[in-house]
Amino acid sequence: CLSRGLGDVYKRQGLKHIDGSSLGLVESLLGFWGGHNELKRLDAKTFSGNKDLEAIFLKFNRIQNIHPTAFDGLEQLIVLDLSSNRLVKLENIFDSMRDLYKLDLSSNLIENINEGVFENLINLQDLNLMKNNLKILNPDVFKPIKTLAYINISFNKSPIKVIPAELFEHNSQLKQVYLINNKISAVGKNFLSHLKPDLELISFRKNKCVDDDIFPTNGLIERSEIDKLKNCFSDVKFLQ
């Protein structure tokens, strides 16, 4: 419960810069709402003086650059919303966020996610990457997020054409996967062999080789569900 702190003072204030030294003077700040402003960057140690923060909302800004130490020390952060900004690439900005539960990076311009970006997000369960410019998904990009349950990678403006077989191999707690409208034309033929017992849904709607949902039952897939991907299966693992 975010019962103490600044509340939504900075929302819709035409804010162009966050002064970390001033923000650090606010004691027991649990939530920062800075959405719908004109922020273009986050400087070094922007929030490092507010180690009690549990939620940061920065959606609908113009953020293009985030200093690697902007979020340093936020070990209690649970929710981070950076949606509807102008991020093109992801640096290792999440290293301190070991308790992060939800990360929203939707509606940015992200083109690629390097290995290691999510390395320390050991408690992340909800990841939203929809409406970016992703073209390629590295097979190991989600490997560190053992607790991942919900992921949305739908509606990419630069379509993802290939889904590697190993993409979710290490995400043992997956429940729902959304891959809608990415113009997918190939899926690694062993993709479904890595299913998890809690998996409820994989949505492949509006893609090139499939327009349907896959519904596992207790971690198992019936032949009728497998056949929905018969035009997609490929030996390909990862395309540059």
Side-chain angles (χ1 to χ4, degrees):
C1 178
L2 306 179
S3 58
R4 299 172 286 135
L6 196 57
D8 59 354
V9 170
Y10 287 107
K11 187 176 179 181
R12 300 182 187 273
Q13 298 293 312
L15 192 67
K16 296 183 178 181
H17 178 253
I18 299 175
D19 184 349
S21 59
S22 298
L23 190 63
L25 299 176
V26 182
E27 296 182 1
S28 302
L29 182 63
L30 295 187
F32 183 88
W33 285 262
H36 298 269
N37 279 297
E38 299 177 19
L39 296 169
K40 293 184 179 181
R41 70 180 193 277
L42 296 178
D43 295 331
K45 300 187 180 299
T46 298
F47 295 100
S48 61
N50 305 97
K51 299 188 184 301
D52 293 329
L53 273 169
E54 295 179 4
I56 297 176
F57 299 92
L58 293 168
K59 60 183 179 180
F60 291 105
N61 276 284
R62 304 174 186 175
I63 299 172
Q64 299 176 4
N65 298 299
I66 300 177
H67 192 278
T69 66
F71 300 112
D72 266 14
L74 299 186
E75 296 180 2
Q76 299 184 51
L77 198 67
I78 298 171
V79 178
L80 177 60
D81 188 342
L82 291 166
S83 63
S84 299
N85 278 287
R86 298 179 182 177
L87 296 172
V88 174
K89 60 181 180 179
L90 287 181
E91 306 288 350
N92 290 349
I93 60 175
F94 310 114
D95 288 353
S96 299
M97 304 179 191
R98 300 179 68 84
D99 281 343
L100 196 68
Y101 174 91
K102 181 175 183 177
L103 176 60
D104 193 342
L105 296 165
S106 62
S107 298
N108 275 280
L109 304 171
I110 299 168
E111 297 177 350
N112 188 37
I113 304 173
N114 294 325
E115 285 186 57
V117 169
F118 302 130
E119 188 70 33
N120 292 320
L121 299 182
I122 58 174
N123 288 300
L124 190 69
Q125 293 191 34
D126 191 334
L127 177 59
N128 193 344
L129 288 163
M130 70 181 295
K131 294 185 178 180
N132 275 287
N133 286 343
L134 292 168
K135 295 181 180 179
I136 296 172
L137 293 174
N138 189 303
D140 294 323
V141 68
F142 304 121
K143 182 177 179 179
I145 317 176
K146 310 297 184 185
T147 54
L148 189 63
Y150 304 95
I151 184 166
N152 194 337
I153 323 176
S154 304
F155 298 99
N156 270 274
K157 294 183 281 287
S158 298
I160 300 168
K161 295 183 179 180
V162 176
I163 300 299
E166 306 88 348
L167 187 61
F168 301 117
E169 181 178 0
H170 302 280
N171 307 113
S172 61
Q173 298 181 35
L174 263 183
K175 292 183 177 180
Q176 296 180 10
V177 178
Y178 295 91
L179 296 163
I180 302 167
N181 200 6
N182 284 307
K183 297 185 179 179
I184 294 168
S185 58
V187 177
K189 67 178 182 179
N190 294 320
F191 178 75
L192 294 179
S193 68
H194 299 304
L195 288 179
K196 312 306 175 186
D198 294 331
L199 195 62
E200 303 166 346
L201 167 69
I202 309 175
S203 184
F204 279 103
R205 290 194 176 275
K206 297 183 179 180
N207 281 290
K208 187 174 181 180
C209 65
V210 58
D211 180 9
D212 217 327
D213 295 327
I214 307 295
F215 295 101
T217 303
N218 297 322
L220 300 175
I221 286 196
E222 296 182 2
R223 171 56 61 182
S224 59
E225 296 295 304
I226 295 174
D227 286 345
K228 292 176 181 179
L229 291 177
K230 64 183 179 181
N231 294 325
C232 302
F233 285 133
S234 168
D235 289 329
V236 67
K237 290 187 175 181
F238 183 48
L239 291 182
Q240 296 291 340

